[in-house]
Amino acid sequence: MYDPTVARLTYRALLGRRRALILGALPLLLIVIAVAVRALSGADDQTAVNVLGGFALATMVPIIGVIAGTGAIGPEIDDGSVVYLLSKPLKRPVIVFTKLIVAIAVTMVFSAVPTLVAGLILNGDGQQIAVAYTVAALVASIAYAALFLLLGTVSRHAVVFGLVYALVWEALFGSLVPGARTLSVQQWSLAVAHRVAGGDLVTSDVGLPTATVLLVVVTVLATWYAGRKLRALTLAGEE
């Protein structure tokens, strides 16, 4: 289910100079914010929660997921180079799963690592806040990568739709509309963070059992449907 050649090509596409600069911009900004906040207000648990929850998990992680998930396959479909890949004796699910693994890895590195560093800067992992949000970023990276990889296979405007979901649904509706929070990857990952941190500082509107089921279901269904769409694309090209 994993092809090293496909993985190498995908890593090369995602970590090219321009895309790597874009991927690194938000993590760098998070670190700068963490340093500034710590210098101005000192170590404070609630401030750490506000920064890590309000910026890292609500904004940085989904945007990086958009860039990595859509960038893993979308550009190849847009410029037609995917035809070369599909001409190889590789099963379509193998291609999708390999690209998903790469997208997850890139999203995790550029989101979870800076989240941990920022958390340690903000309050030295008091009450396990830094670790809790790092785990949440890791969990969210999997679901976001799968969702946005699917978007990359079904739409030429995947980046736009992905940003709308990340910035409008997750950040706006997810924070204002109670019903929308149940269908939010952010809230699902916060349920995991709440279990790690304990206490009342890190909270979620979704229970851990429900969040776990939804994370698994969304990831599996998105991956399966992306493979199906890629198979249909192949058939259309052959016809």
Side-chain angles (χ1 to χ4, degrees), residues 114-203:
T115 297
L116 176 61
V117 173
L120 294 175
I121 292 172
L122 286 165
N123 77 331
D125 197 33
Q127 300 194 51
Q128 290 190 302
I129 291 173
V131 171
Y133 276 99
T134 300
V135 173
L138 291 171
V139 171
S141 295
I142 300 173
Y144 282 133
L147 280 172
F148 298 134
L149 180 69
L150 171 61
L151 270 179
T153 64
V154 301
S155 173
R156 291 182 176 273
H157 306 289
V159 174
V160 175
F161 291 134
L163 289 175
V164 168
Y165 173 83
L167 298 179
V168 177
W169 181 267
E170 291 275 6
L172 183 59
F173 285 98
S175 61
L176 299 177
V177 183
R181 296 171 188 168
T182 306
L183 301 177
S184 167
V185 175
Q186 177 188 343
Q187 292 296 324
W188 303 342
S189 59
L190 278 173
V192 180
H194 172 70
R195 174 58 62 89
V196 174
D200 297 324
L201 277 173
V202 182
T203 61

Side-chain angles (χ1 to χ4, degrees), residues 88-105:
K88 301 300 179 182
L90 290 172
K91 293 182 179 179
R92 305 305 172 251
V94 172
I95 296 174
V96 169
F97 188 75
T98 300
K99 287 182 173 294
L100 175 63
I101 294 299
V102 173
I104 290 173

